[in-house]
Amino acid sequence: ASVPNGYMTMCAIIKTIKIFCETADILGLDDAREYAELPNRLIASLPNDGMKYIPYDGCFETSVGLMGGIYPFDVIDKDNELQRGGIDSYFINENKTGNMYAVGTGVCPWYKVWKAIVLGRLGETEAAYQAIKSTINNTGNFDEMYEINDCETGTIFRPWFGTAAGMFIQAVNEMFVKYENGLIYIGASLPQEINNFSCRLAVSNGIIVEATVQNGNIVRLRLASRTN
């Protein structure tokens, strides 16, 4: 059943309004400025219990959707204590709520890579790396992702699951290069022991980044647009 003021749905609405305001500003549509403060007001009204965000008002359960303010919508500040509390409430209970369906005992690949992206964006690089490795350990004979691949209980559903595979690619991409608040970060989400690498990857603003890092230092960097 639908509920009012659902956390993840509201994050999607906040993101939509922010994009609308940014687009209106580019187009010089002054009438849209009246909506500029609306995202902040909506963030202030997100459901919480005083310590953490919750899935909806009055809910006593946790949800993987509580990571949504960081990814995919990126509308909540990373130092927001309510956001961190909501994320931690999911992490603590992920073996109970992290399998998409009420079966098995593990965490599905989709939620594992979602966790990796969020941890990387929060600067917890080692934990993000471990989430990536855990996901790899749950792939099939052809490295395919499943909706659920709980080998311990034999609960295996639907191989070639594109949502998990796509998010896995994004998680790995962001470990090497990512674009955030107008800046491009090289290797910022990698664990410290990985300090030699080269990559050619696109970031979310359409720039292609070619980089070589040796002993933690950038020795080669080239940026190009997709049209070049």
Side-chain angles (χ1 to χ4, degrees):
S2 61
V3 295
N5 199 31
Y7 168 84
M8 194 169 180
T9 300
M10 291 307 300
C11 285
I13 292 170
I14 291 165
K15 184 67 172 182
T16 302
I17 295 171
K18 288 172 71 72
I19 292 172
F20 165 75
C21 291
E22 291 167 3
T23 303
D25 186 58
I26 292 171
L27 297 174
L29 302 176
D30 294 338
D31 292 345
R33 291 179 181 174
E34 63 181 291
Y35 300 103
E37 285 301 312
L38 184 54
N40 291 331
R41 297 205 301 271
L42 292 175
I43 289 171
S45 71
L46 286 172
N48 69 86
D49 62 5
M51 296 181 293
K52 62 185 181 297
Y53 288 133
I54 56 179
Y56 54 87
D57 292 320
C59 180
F60 298 101
E61 304 292 334
T62 188
S63 168
V64 66
L66 293 172
M67 294 192 288
I70 303 299
Y71 178 86
F73 299 115
D74 191 24
V75 293
I76 309 295
D77 291 338
K78 296 174 180 62
D79 59 357
N80 183 309
E81 293 182 2
L82 294 174
Q83 176 64 84
R84 184 69 220 207
I87 290 172
D88 286 344
S89 74
Y90 166 71
F91 288 168
I92 292 168
N93 295 283
E94 64 178 344
N95 284 331
K96 298 178 182 178
T97 61
N99 217 11
M100 282 181 70
Y101 312 113
V103 295
T105 59
V107 180
C108 67
W110 177 15
Y111 293 178
K112 285 184 179 182
V113 289
W114 192 345
K115 178 180 180 178
I117 294 171
V118 168
L119 287 170
R121 293 187 177 191
L122 292 174
E124 298 181 30
T125 57
E126 183 58 38
Y129 181 58
Q130 293 304 320
I132 290 284
K133 290 178 66 176
S134 177
T135 305
I136 293 172
N137 291 337
N138 271 32
T139 57
N141 292 329
F142 300 96
D143 293 326
E144 74 277 18
M145 298 279 184
Y146 288 74
E147 275 197 352
I148 296 176
N149 190 18
D150 187 349
C151 297
E152 291 186 8
T153 62
T155 309
I156 301 174
F157 290 175
R158 301 181 186 92
W160 310 105
F161 182 41
T163 303
M167 286 179 69
F168 179 85
I169 292 170
Q170 180 163 356
V172 173
N173 194 323
E174 288 195 10
M175 295 186 81
F176 288 96
V177 295
K178 62 181 177 181
Y179 176 83
E180 186 174 300
N181 297 325
L183 299 174
I184 294 174
Y185 294 86
I186 309 295
S189 295
L190 286 170
Q192 291 185 350
E193 62 267 25
I194 301 180
N195 56 12
N196 292 283
F197 64 88
S198 61
C199 61
R200 184 180 187 273
L201 295 166
V203 292
S204 58
N205 69 342
I207 293 175
I208 296 173
V209 179
E210 295 184 41
T212 301
V213 174
Q214 296 178 355
N215 299 318
N217 299 309
I218 298 174
V219 297
R220 179 177 178 271
L221 178 64
R222 181 176 181 270
L223 306 179
S225 69
R226 291 179 183 270
T227 57
N228 288 346

